[in-house]
Amino acid sequence: MPGKEDLLTLSKRMMALMRPLADALPDRGSVGSSRDLEARENVKGYPLLIRAYEGGKPTGREIVLQTRREQSLAASEFEVPADFRRQDPLKGLES
């Protein structure tokens, strides 16, 4: 799929941005935890199935890719909304 390398690079950059937040929160093995990010960093390509675990046991929650499509998107889809405000996700977490 054209552009997939860009999407994978962006995904890895987003995970790197989430790392400090994940490291600051208690690790319960859930989505967004340090262990979850480590697992996602090792994915090569696009996951077709994501299975949730808690405490090393499956929770029964799954995300399954059911369809995929290629389409062009308007540049306006990538514009920052006029009311966007940058926020520090770690603000207030310091002890």
Side-chain angles (χ1 to χ4, degrees):
M1 177 166 53
K4 68 180 178 183
E5 294 82 14
D6 295 335
L7 186 56
L8 290 173
T9 299
L10 178 61
S11 176
K12 289 181 186 217
R13 291 170 78 188
M14 288 175 62
M15 284 188 280
L17 290 171
M18 289 180 59
R19 171 64 66 188
L21 180 60
D23 290 344
L25 298 173
D27 191 345
R28 296 189 172 90
S30 57
V31 173
S33 69
S34 291
R35 279 188 286 173
D36 176 59
L37 288 179
E38 286 171 17
R40 290 173 189 249
E41 287 167 354
N42 293 321
V43 171
K44 308 280 190 276
Y46 300 96
L48 302 178
L49 167 71
I50 298 173
R51 184 171 289 140
Y53 288 81
E54 287 186 19
K57 297 179 182 175
T59 64
R61 291 178 297 185
E62 294 182 342
I63 300 172
V64 180
L65 176 68
Q66 298 195 4
T67 59
R68 150 185 122 60
R69 69 175 182 236
E70 292 184 37
Q71 70 183 61
S72 296
L73 297 174
S76 61
E77 293 289 326
F78 300 94
E79 292 176 5
V80 177
D83 61 346
F84 173 79
R85 292 177 314 161
R86 183 177 297 267
Q87 297 182 11
D88 181 356
L90 301 177
K91 185 176 181 180
L93 291 179
E94 297 86 20
S95 306

